[in-house]
Amino acid sequence: MNRSVPARRNSKPRPAYVLEEQIGFILRQVWQRHATIFAREMGINLTPTQWAAVSKLTETGPCSQNQLGRLTAMDVATIKGVIDRLTARGLTETSPDPEDGRRLLVSLTRAGQQLVEKAVPNALAITKETLAPLDAKERETLIALLSKLR
């Protein structure tokens, strides 16, 4: 949409591209707000990507690191680093895949399972706080629209 308007006296025309109106900029600001809420409210020492990995492992059970990366929208290098850090903390472990000896399965340790159980209420509260400025219908619409953009 062209936002240029005729110049008024002593003023410049409005540029066609206004950063604050661009979807990428708005999404980045929303992400920054959400990340601040996450850091403040999570109550455990995990990053959002680490939380994504352990919460997805709770849903799926053991899976390959590659599959976990796909399920959590992380590239190969990122998911490897995430799992390495979680394993170093005793929250995940790897074991040979009984169906394919060349592949390792990643799973939660008991400590990892306990951490997820403890953190789920906080994670739900983070989502609620992130979406708090919206009413129920707006939240539903936002999730539906963002899902279409994936």
Side-chain angles (χ1 to χ4, degrees):
M1 163 180 352
N2 188 338
R3 295 246 177 203
S4 290
V5 294
R8 291 183 225 143
R9 270 196 272 169
N10 299 324
S11 69
K12 293 189 249 178
R14 186 163 182 216
Y17 186 94
V18 177
L19 179 64
E20 293 80 8
E21 296 174 357
Q22 305 311 308
I23 186 65
F25 185 79
I26 294 166
L27 289 173
R28 186 166 57 84
Q29 287 181 310
V30 171
W31 168 250
Q32 288 170 332
R33 180 174 165 270
H34 173 75
T36 299
I37 294 167
F38 182 95
R40 184 184 70 232
E41 300 296 330
M42 195 56 179
I44 56 174
N45 188 21
L46 289 182
T47 65
T49 53
Q50 290 169 339
W51 172 249
V54 297
S55 64
K56 185 51 78 175
L57 283 171
T58 300
E59 290 178 46
T60 64
C63 68
S64 72
Q65 188 171 285
N66 197 345
Q67 175 69 8
L68 184 59
R70 285 193 300 275
L71 293 171
T72 57
M74 290 184 230
D75 62 43
V76 173
T78 301
I79 193 64
K80 180 181 180 342
V82 166
I83 296 304
D84 287 349
R85 285 185 287 284
L86 292 170
T87 299
R89 291 181 56 189
L91 300 174
T92 58
E93 60 190 1
T94 58
S95 59
D97 183 339
E99 296 177 14
D100 183 348
R102 299 167 298 172
R103 184 172 42 201
L104 292 176
L105 297 179
V106 179
S107 59
L108 290 174
T109 62
R110 182 72 189 127
Q113 292 167 358
Q114 290 171 341
L115 181 111
V116 171
E117 289 169 14
K118 174 185 167 194
V120 164
N122 295 7
L124 292 168
I126 290 163
T127 295
K128 185 175 181 181
E129 185 175 341
T130 298
L131 296 173
L134 307 176
D135 65 33
K137 183 65 177 162
E138 289 170 329
R139 287 190 292 269
E140 185 180 307
T141 301
L142 176 65
I143 297 301
L145 291 172
L146 289 173
S147 294
K148 281 182 81 169
L149 292 176
R150 280 188 189 156

